[in-house]
Amino acid sequence: QPSREETLALAETIREDLLEGADFAELASLHSECPSSVQGGDLGYFGKGQMVPEFEDAAFALSVGEISPVVETYYGFHIIEVTDKTEAALVPVESVYSMIESYLMQEQTISRIDELLIDLRDKSAIVIQ
């Protein structure tokens, strides 16, 4: 496991490579530990309030085409490249109704499973020999 300093040094080196014209997707695929590495580091579009504050602040401060300094969050070190921005817009509830319904059903299922697990634990006797 590399130290924090070694990881930061690698991130700074990768950033320098990016500033010199290296391909972001290629470097993300090689070095990133984020699940997005399989998409070349592409996180897609996201709005305010969806990422950790340090990451979000850095991303929203960039212009299209800019590469961020190395950003440290709870999850590690990040280098952000903004490839596009869109204006936030209100979406009619009718167009996202099925997504809302699916989300609420998932939340209800998780709640029921949690209740069931608590009930099963209360009724169980665990014997360690």
Side-chain angles (χ1 to χ4, degrees), residues 2-18:
S3 70
R4 178 187 178 283
E5 292 74 21
E6 291 169 328
T7 305
L8 176 58
L10 176 59
E12 292 288 358
T13 300
I14 292 168
R15 181 177 185 272
E16 290 300 320
D17 291 346
L18 291 169

Side-chain angles (χ1 to χ4, degrees), residues 4-108:
R4 178 187 178 283
E5 292 74 21
E6 291 169 328
T7 305
L8 176 58
L10 176 59
E12 292 288 358
T13 300
I14 292 168
R15 181 177 185 272
E16 290 300 320
D17 291 346
L18 291 169
L19 293 174
E20 292 173 6
D23 184 67
F24 189 97
E26 184 179 318
L27 291 179
S29 295
L30 289 172
H31 297 288
S32 179
E33 295 177 9
C34 178
S36 69
S37 66
V38 296
Q39 291 98 19
D42 189 347
L43 296 174
Y45 290 98
F46 57 87
K48 291 189 177 186
Q50 292 183 279
M51 301 291 181
V52 293
E54 303 89 350
F55 187 94
E56 186 176 289
D57 291 346
F60 282 100
L62 297 172
S63 298
V64 173
E66 275 191 287
I67 295 172
S68 73
V70 175
V71 177
E72 185 174 12
T73 71
Y74 169 81
Y75 299 102
F77 294 104
H78 313 272
I79 302 166
I80 305 163
E81 178 184 32
V82 174
T83 58
D84 193 22
K85 286 187 177 189
T86 62
E87 290 295 318
L90 293 177
V91 178
V93 72
E94 296 81 22
S95 66
V96 292
Y97 181 78
S98 64
M99 289 178 8
I100 294 169
E101 182 179 39
S102 179
Y103 172 79
L104 292 174
M105 289 175 67
Q106 182 180 8
E107 288 296 308
Q108 188 176 30

Side-chain angles (χ1 to χ4, degrees), residues 104-121:
L104 292 174
M105 289 175 67
Q106 182 180 8
E107 288 296 308
Q108 188 176 30
T109 301
I110 290 169
S111 177
R112 287 183 179 167
I113 290 171
D114 288 344
E115 290 172 11
L116 177 62
L117 287 173
I118 290 169
D119 187 50
L120 289 172
R121 281 189 204 121

